[in-house]
Amino acid sequence: MGHLRNDTCRVCKGSDLTRILSLGEHPPVDNFTDAEHLKDEKRYPLDVYFCGTCNLVQLLDVVAEDELFHGEYAYFSSASAPLVEHFRSYAEDLKNEQLQSGDLVIDIGSNDGVLLQNFVENYRVLGIEPSSNVAEIARQKGIETIDGFFTVEMAKKIVETHGKAKVVTANNVFAHIDDVDEIIRAVQELLTPDGVFVSESHYLLDLIEHREFDTVYHEHLCYYSVKPLIHLFDRFDMEVFDVRRIDVHGGSIRVYARRKSNAPVHSRVQDILSIEEQAGIHSLTRFNDFQKEVEEIRDKLVTLVRSFRKEGKIVTAYGAPAKGNTLLNFCGFNSHDIKYVTDTTPYKIGLLTPGSHIPVESPEILKTDTPDYILLLAWNYKDFILKKEQELRDRGAKFIIPIPTVEIV
Ligand code: TMP
Ligand code: ZN
């Protein structure tokens, strides 16, 4: 229970750690709540550190898993149509480049089966998902899913019952792991000798360049760039052999790793390292102005929303993603500022956002209600949502886009 604080870097174990951003104390972003449970809400520091040795950007405060997930998890990947399409095309890449029919694919943090559902026809699949309410949805789609946290012990049992996997994936979950050594050892147990470990994580370069400070929350322990990942895999005799920049979650990297071999490493790996070096994210000084830039966005948003409210305008928010809660809490917004938030996730509807306690409504409400301004918290789906909500905009509602710069459309 509660939280722990690391004093060494998660990847290199060094202690040359400098704070680059402090967002104050926040409740865990996926702990949507209700009137009865407001008194149980706990807050923990959201401070981001840079490692001078391997250059990993990370949180040192680790909130216990049972505090983060509250038994049930509020995030369902399939609630966002563009994400479903992303995982379809990701699966195509793996089928074309890494797999033969009949191979076993294992997904760690498989959520509602959004990736694995694309493999059920010609491949063997296994999901691992610690949130039982989410795992159940995957099973209903016919995807065998183990309920639990992934460990070396679990990996050994899986090999006994299912054999080894050609591909192991971990998407938007690798950066959530505190004990990365345990996970890599467990992945090594699962992989065939020529097996491939593929992970997608939000990319530090996009975070810094587009000021995506709201993607900082307790579940995201690491903000990966390619350099520290190479360092990490190297400690386990593994190598990164391909890297791709992916246009999801505001900018992600897909990293391919395997046991060290004589096979060629794709030139993209060196290219992206050079891009990182040139962008300065391997050096502490690049982060000097980040706190100031983030506070500028906050101050603009607060001034804008409060001035609209003073004029008697109605302001609501669109999407209740985890990152939206970092933004709402950092701005200090409450239900007087933002009347309600709409979200497509049935689980979230009827609850209150953590910390800011704004009611979550079904998107249906926007069929009849026309707010004056709608703060787009799910800004990573901006193009999709602006198009989808053209009729609402024709009725006069304007969207406030918070990231990368505050704008009204
Ligand atoms: P994500 O950015 O972490 O995928 O979360 C997006 C959240 O926004 C998720 O709770 C679903 C919600 N959402 C909507 O409410 N409407 C939409 O059109 C989309 C794409 C997402
Ligand atoms: Zn380090």
Side-chain angles (χ1 to χ4, degrees), residues 360-387:
V360 184
E361 299 278 356
S362 156
E364 287 290 304
I365 195 172
L366 296 172
K367 290 197 172 145
T368 47
D369 206 24
T370 312
D372 298 296
Y373 293 95
I374 304 174
L375 177 59
L376 184 60
L377 296 174
W379 49 261
N380 45 321
Y381 305 116
K382 175 181 152 187
D383 296 342
F384 172 82
I385 289 172
L386 289 180
K387 204 164 150 205

Side-chain angles (χ1 to χ4, degrees), residues 27-266:
V29 283
D30 274 304
N31 287 353
F32 287 79
T33 185
D34 56 30
E36 257 173 75
H37 293 92
L38 294 185
K39 58 182 186 318
D40 303 333
E41 202 161 63
K42 296 197 184 84
R43 289 177 176 260
Y44 302 98
L46 264 185
D47 293 336
V48 185
Y49 291 80
F50 175 81
C51 171
T53 310
C54 74
N55 306 154
L56 177 68
V57 169
Q58 61 198 299
L59 303 188
L60 297 179
D61 295 279
V62 182
V63 178
E65 274 153 1
D66 55 1
E67 293 273 333
L68 290 183
F69 302 110
H70 262 201
E72 294 206 320
Y73 195 41
Y75 184 64
F76 296 79
S77 307
S78 301
S80 300
L83 215 49
V84 175
E85 169 51 26
H86 163 67
F87 282 109
R88 194 201 56 74
S89 103
Y90 182 174
E92 280 310 302
D93 289 350
L94 293 176
K95 288 178 199 173
N96 292 335
E97 297 165 20
Q98 310 296 342
L99 289 163
Q100 313 242 317
S101 63
D103 280 345
L104 176 62
V105 184
I106 298 182
D107 189 25
I108 305 164
S110 49
N111 201 273
D112 54 15
V114 68
L115 175 69
L116 291 180
Q117 65 192 4
N118 298 291
F119 293 106
V120 281
E121 264 177 34
N122 292 318
Y123 306 84
R124 290 174 298 133
V125 298
L126 179 66
I128 301 163
E129 172 52 55
S131 306
S132 45
N133 62 319
V134 183
E136 187 48 37
I137 305 284
R139 285 192 205 103
Q140 285 166 16
K141 296 181 190 167
I143 297 160
E144 185 185 348
T145 305
I146 300 178
D147 222 316
F149 287 100
F150 183 57
T151 59
V152 170
E153 201 190 321
M154 182 194 279
K156 285 183 174 160
K157 281 193 191 136
I158 291 172
V159 173
E160 279 171 22
T161 51
H162 293 72
K164 299 229 176 206
K166 179 69 206 310
V167 168
V168 175
T169 53
N171 307 306
N172 307 307
V173 69
F174 196 53
H176 298 207
I177 290 160
D178 186 31
D179 188 353
V180 282
D181 290 25
E182 168 85 10
I183 297 303
I184 296 187
R185 284 198 195 98
V187 167
Q188 286 181 320
E189 291 286 337
L190 288 184
L191 286 177
T192 58
D194 61 345
V196 175
F197 176 53
V198 191
S199 62
E200 283 192 358
S201 302
H202 185 221
Y203 189 30
L204 177 69
L205 187 55
D206 291 298
L207 190 163
I208 294 298
E209 288 189 336
H210 307 132
R211 302 177 196 84
E212 297 166 354
F213 72 88
D214 53 346
T215 61
V216 173
Y217 47 86
H218 300 107
E219 288 167 39
H220 288 171
L221 294 170
C222 297
Y223 302 83
Y224 279 117
S225 55
V226 176
K227 186 178 170 191
L229 280 168
I230 289 175
H231 186 109
L232 175 64
F233 286 113
D234 185 64
R235 283 210 285 113
F236 292 88
D237 277 329
M238 292 178 75
E239 62 187 356
V240 172
F241 69 93
D242 197 1
V243 180
R244 295 176 202 175
R245 289 184 79 166
I246 308 285
D247 188 22
V248 289
H249 293 303
S252 298
I253 36 171
R254 184 189 300 162
V255 176
Y256 294 71
R258 67 184 172 210
R259 289 187 177 86
K260 279 188 182 158
S261 74
N262 293 323
V265 169
H266 203 287

Side-chain angles (χ1 to χ4, degrees), residues 262-335:
N262 293 323
V265 169
H266 203 287
S267 58
R268 279 191 282 260
V269 178
Q270 194 49 53
D271 292 349
I272 202 164
L273 276 173
S274 307
I275 290 170
E276 289 183 0
E277 190 65 40
Q278 271 170 22
I281 59 170
H282 300 158
S283 149
L284 182 60
T285 50
R286 173 64 182 84
F287 303 90
N288 282 348
D289 297 329
F290 196 50
Q291 179 87 30
K292 203 174 82 223
E293 289 174 15
V294 165
E295 287 176 3
E296 269 170 23
I297 294 184
R298 174 194 62 190
D299 295 347
K300 264 193 199 157
L301 280 173
V302 171
T303 307
L304 206 61
V305 169
R306 298 256 154 90
S307 72
F308 290 147
R309 293 294 295 129
K310 245 194 196 145
E311 293 167 21
K313 306 277 192 224
I314 299 296
V315 185
T316 67
Y318 198 101
K323 61 181 169 302
N325 290 323
T326 293
L327 188 140
L328 292 169
N329 284 311
F330 188 55
C331 290
F333 288 142
N334 59 34
S335 58

